[in-house]
Amino acid sequence: MVTILFVRYANSVYHVFTPTPVCNFYNFDQFPSPSSLPALSLILFCLKVKMRGFLIITLPYKQLTALIPQMVTRACEYAKDDLYIHLDSASIFEDPGKMHHSTWPIKASSQVIQKLYGSFSTVAPQLDTRIIMSGFKGHSIIPNNPRLQPANLLVDHLDDEKLKYLRAKYKCYFNLKEPITLLTDEDVSNCSVIAEALGGSISSETNEKVYENIVAGGTFDRIHPGHKILLAEGLLRCRNRFTIGMADGILLEKKTLAPLIEPVEVRIENLKNLLEDMDPSIEFCLEPIIDPCGPSGKDPRMEMIIVSQETLRGGHFVNKTRAERNLNQLDVVVIDLVNDENRNVHEEEKLSSSSRRMRLLGTCLQDPNLSNKLEPSPYIIGLTGGSASGKSSIASRLKSFGASIIDCDKLGHKAYLEGTECYSKLVEAYGPKILNETGEINRKALGALVFGNQEKLNQLNSLVWPEILLLLKNKVAELKIQGAKLVVVDAAVLLEAQWDLQCHEVWVCVLPESEAVRRICERDGCSEELAQQRLQRQMRDDERVKRAHVVFCSLWDYSYTTQQVLTAWRRLQRQGIVDDPLVTLNSPL
Ligand SMILES: CC(=O)SCCNC(=O)CCNC(=O)[C@H](O)C(C)(C)COP(=O)(O)OP(=O)(O)OC[C@H]1O[C@@H](n2cnc3c(N)ncnc32)[C@H](O)[C@@H]1OP(=O)(O)O
């Protein structure tokens, strides 16, 4: 189905056809005249426009908790990329007069927050929802944040009286658009019965304490609703300063798919952006940490640490460290883990950044390299990865899907044949000890010579890579004549050799070092030391990932790797680069 996006410029209306379901009316007054722009760039611009939604929740707490799933499902029809949520606590808790700092109903507020984030993550995991904390804190004014200018204004339920109240309170938003009401009168009257049956009451037994200075720690990679619940709980209880230690360096080493963790500067920037949206009244101190305590182990002003069930032990460790340093003990507030309703069999039960990283496998991480002055066809993909990372097995899956594979190891063997220029250069450089009795180059002997000595390896590379590159270019030309559409260049040290410049995309296989060592020892019957030595001569996975368009990991079972390759292949199909729509998980591999 084709959807039409109307783009208005000055007094004219332009109709642009887009493949995504966009149904809004955008007014691009500051946009340069469309007549001066090629239609394609206009469409690309339109596709980039985010559907920014803004939801104001006003229903009383009891009804609200029961209606959240229904409301969330409907809200997701209007908000595609992000949705800011403001809870008008004066009406939610039916006690406008008491909404000041010392009496926020913290427990009740965090229940609503958890339920909202949990429901949104189930119904629309791709939607970036941000609950603005000002409503809970009795700040009646929505912060003047340009990111909060919505395209859609959503309201849970409106009667005439509430409309009047909201018009007065959120006037600026009504200038943009009339609100879309998500719940009907019938929904609301039906649910009061359900809410009572559920006993949705505000519990007073839990600690409702509020602090000046609080602290939390974590990786905060690819922020998910579990992070947001933890941060919201912190913000509910914080009056002044929120310090967050961002795990880096050695603290990340054991994490699943660590090379795909965003750089700490990016994580800090994303988290800061989120926190400032959530509560601009708080001072945020975000800093990288490489020890388990970070600032929480030394700052005497801190009063409370917020942890998840999983990091509770870390909270106790912080207090132990503080006791040793004669610092005050921190109150420890623990957040429950949120289950991930959309997880697959290999992913964790709770919402987690590891699962999010796993879902990136096989997807396109950055735009293809179209500035390399390469001919558009055949489309060339460089496939690389460390020793024993599963590269060859992925190449054979791609072959079974229809790709033409060039194995650069085999080209290397060709370059070493007696009588070639390369052969003479190698014998001259290393002497006859690299030859076997029949005069051929003994690759095992050559390997033993160079893999333990970086200088000798560099020398070998400078002699051999130009020869292999020549053979590679000839092979690509040959495949082009044969009509190949997609060529995969399987090369162990593609990036070290800068051959990414010969490719439209780079696909990288990553594997934790311990598993790579295990596989090398098993496959080649060598010692752990030798296996480690070989890996150390190669680029690290995190460096490869920086230059990767697609990443695979063969750590899990065979079909999970195939699934990743299929994800990558289907994207090529969608882009018209390959045309075999029949490839499935059951294709012969
Ligand atoms: C740019 C490219 O990627 S071209 C393809 C790779 N080839 C080269 O770089 C040429 C230099 N290397 C060689 O000629 C051979 O590797 C030799 C002679 C040193 C050893 O040959 P062999 O004993 O047959 O070993 P083989 O070629 O299988 O390499 C063993 C491992 O060393 C790694 N390796 C190969 N070349 C290099 C290199 N130049 N630098 C670092 N590691 C390398 C590979 O990852 C391979 O592991 P994998 O099979 O698990 O991926």
Side-chain angles (χ1 to χ4, degrees):
M1 191 187 75
V2 177
T3 318
I4 303 174
L5 169 70
F6 296 93
V7 179
R8 188 172 68 169
Y9 178 73
N11 296 323
S12 338
V13 174
Y14 296 85
H15 298 201
V16 181
F17 295 87
T18 78
T20 47
V22 181
C23 55
N24 253 354
F25 190 93
Y26 291 100
N27 185 1
F28 298 139
D29 282 333
Q30 304 95 336
F31 201 52
S33 163
S35 58
S36 68
L37 284 165
L40 181 67
S41 65
L42 184 61
I43 291 172
L44 287 177
F45 176 83
C46 298
L47 288 174
K48 272 192 201 155
V49 174
K50 284 195 158 193
M51 295 280 285
R52 200 171 288 280
F54 192 90
L55 168 63
I56 297 179
I57 296 180
T58 62
L59 277 173
Y61 176 80
K62 273 189 180 180
Q63 284 164 311
L64 175 65
T65 46
L67 282 168
I68 282 175
Q70 212 163 331
M71 185 176 67
V72 162
T73 309
R74 292 188 194 157
C76 290
E77 290 168 20
Y78 299 96
K80 298 287 175 229
D81 286 328
D82 52 26
L83 179 68
Y84 288 80
I85 304 170
H86 175 84
L87 286 98
D88 190 83
S89 51
S91 42
I92 288 174
F93 297 109
E94 298 169 292
D95 199 1
K98 283 196 184 156
M99 290 307 301
H100 54 82
H101 245 146
S102 57
T103 56
W104 309 324
I106 289 179
K107 179 69 181 168
S109 303
S110 56
Q111 276 171 357
V112 176
I113 289 170
Q114 284 187 28
K115 200 153 183 193
L116 274 171
Y117 277 132
S119 302
F120 273 109
S121 89
T122 306
V123 178
Q126 78 295 344
L127 187 67
D128 181 3
T129 43
R130 298 181 172 201
I131 300 177
I132 301 165
M133 305 307 291
S134 53
F136 293 103
K137 293 192 165 183
H139 304 167
S140 57
I141 302 157
I142 297 175
N144 185 18
N145 179 342
R147 285 197 293 267
L148 302 189
Q149 294 305 313
N152 281 318
L153 179 64
L154 314 176
V155 179
D156 52 359
H157 180 248
L158 275 186
D159 53 32
D160 283 351
E161 207 176 307
K162 211 177 263 170
L163 182 63
K164 225 160 82 190
Y165 162 76
L166 286 180
R167 266 190 202 285
K169 197 166 174 188
Y170 304 107
K171 215 163 151 193
C172 53
Y173 290 101
F174 285 82
N175 287 343
L176 260 156
K177 207 168 180 190
E178 280 302 302
I180 297 162
T181 310
L182 298 176
L183 298 168
T184 63
D185 290 345
E186 205 182 331
D187 294 327
V188 174
S189 57
N190 285 348
C191 98
S192 33
V193 181
I194 304 167
E196 269 162 36
L198 288 174
S201 63
I202 301 170
S203 139
S204 56
E205 87 228 9
T206 328
N207 166 12
E208 298 267 326
K209 210 165 155 188
V210 175
Y211 306 83
E212 290 298 317
N213 284 301
I214 67 163
V215 64
T219 310
F220 294 100
D221 179 44
R222 305 180 197 275
I223 293 166
H224 55 68
H227 293 134
K228 291 176 183 170
I229 289 171
L230 182 136
L231 298 168
E233 181 78 23
L235 291 170
L236 277 173
R237 293 169 182 277
C238 180
R239 269 205 207 97
N240 184 13
R241 189 211 308 249
F242 194 170
T243 303
I244 301 183
M246 308 284 289
D248 199 23
I250 195 168
L251 297 180
L252 306 182
E253 272 176 6
K254 294 229 164 76
K255 303 237 171 244
T256 307
L257 292 176
L260 278 167
I261 295 176
E262 293 165 312
V264 71
E265 308 77 45
V266 174
R267 285 182 280 130
I268 288 181
E269 184 61 31
N270 289 344
L271 190 59
K272 202 158 162 266
N273 169 316
L274 168 68
L275 287 165
E276 283 170 359
D277 275 358
M278 288 171 86
D279 193 348
S281 71
I282 298 294
E283 179 191 349
F284 298 107
C285 307
L286 275 54
E287 56 180 275
I289 57 170
I290 49 168
D291 71 286
C293 283
S296 64
K298 45 188 182 233
D299 191 333
R301 294 166 300 178
M302 285 167 182
E303 301 152 271
M304 183 271 267
I305 182 163
I306 184 152
V307 296
S308 70
Q309 294 281 3
E310 210 177 38
T311 53
L312 179 57
R313 273 180 45 211
H316 294 323
F317 178 75
V318 165
N319 269 338
K320 188 167 157 269
T321 310
R322 290 179 72 92
E324 284 160 11
R325 295 175 182 171
N326 291 324
L327 289 169
N328 60 308
Q329 292 289 284
L330 304 180
D331 283 357
V332 181
V333 170
V334 189
I335 299 299
D336 288 337
L337 296 172
V338 187
N339 275 351
D340 188 347
E341 307 295 339
N342 298 308
R343 77 194 178 95
N344 75 31
V345 66
H346 297 288
E347 293 172 356
E348 296 181 52
E349 214 165 300
K350 53 153 187 146
L351 277 177
S352 85
S353 304
S354 307
S355 304
R356 300 218 151 191
R357 290 193 291 278
M358 286 170 77
R359 286 173 207 170
L360 293 177
L361 296 172
T363 66
C364 188
L365 302 177
Q366 55 176 306
D367 289 339
N369 219 344
L370 300 178
S371 60
N372 279 354
K373 296 199 183 106
L374 293 169
E375 288 187 40
S377 180
Y379 198 75
I380 304 175
I381 287 170
L383 179 65
T384 190
S387 202
S389 60
K391 194 167 50 71
S392 309
S393 145
I394 284 171
S396 64
R397 285 168 171 90
L398 289 166
K399 186 173 177 200
S400 76
F401 294 169
S404 303
I405 311 291
I406 301 179
D407 180 340
C408 291
D409 280 341
K410 289 208 178 114
L411 293 184
H413 302 168
K414 231 177 174 176
Y416 289 161
L417 290 179
E418 209 172 340
T420 60
E421 209 183 319
C422 188
Y423 176 93
S424 317
K425 284 183 189 164
L426 292 186
V427 178
E428 195 184 320
Y430 302 105
K433 62 178 178 291
I434 61 161
L435 301 178
N436 61 23
E437 309 87 60
T438 54
E440 291 163 335
I441 288 181
N442 178 341
R443 293 203 307 274
K444 289 284 160 267
L446 183 55
L449 195 75
V450 296
F451 284 137
N453 183 323
Q454 188 64 52
E455 229 171 87
K456 285 209 164 79
L457 182 61
N458 291 346
Q459 184 190 25
L460 176 71
N461 291 339
S462 67
L463 292 172
V464 180
W465 285 348
E467 302 294 330
I468 306 181
L469 184 57
L470 216 60
L471 294 170
L472 172 63
K473 285 183 174 169
N474 289 342
K475 187 74 192 164
V476 172
E478 195 183 308
L479 288 168
K480 185 183 165 98
I481 292 167
Q482 289 165 13
K485 282 185 129 185
L486 179 78
V487 173
V488 173
V489 176
D490 173 350
V493 278
L494 180 115
L495 294 171
E496 289 88 332
Q498 312 277 0
W499 289 2
D500 44 336
L501 299 175
Q502 312 295 328
C503 307
H504 294 97
E505 291 184 32
V506 174
W507 291 7
V508 165
C509 309
V510 299
L511 196 69
E513 187 177 305
S514 54
E515 176 62 10
V517 168
R518 195 193 64 72
R519 288 186 191 177
I520 295 171
C521 294
E522 192 179 289
R523 184 189 65 183
D524 301 348
C526 67
S527 69
E528 276 189 20
E529 198 192 345
L530 216 75
Q532 252 151 5
Q533 197 181 64
R534 197 191 293 172
L535 289 170
Q536 275 155 18
R537 297 273 166 254
Q538 299 182 340
M539 196 178 258
R540 289 202 325 263
D541 274 345
D542 57 340
E543 289 170 21
R544 287 192 188 97
V545 166
K546 277 186 205 148
R547 289 156 75 181
H549 297 86
V550 173
V551 172
F552 303 113
C553 180
S554 60
L555 186 61
W556 299 276
D557 64 37
Y558 189 88
S559 72
Y560 192 62
T561 312
T562 307
Q563 191 66 57
Q564 297 166 34
V565 184
L566 265 175
T567 302
W569 188 263
R570 287 197 182 118
R571 196 240 321 158
L572 297 180
Q573 284 177 337
R574 282 197 302 277
Q575 292 181 345
I577 293 165
V578 291
D579 53 13
D580 181 2
L582 296 176
V583 168
T584 68
L585 250 187
N586 301 323
S587 294
L589 299 174

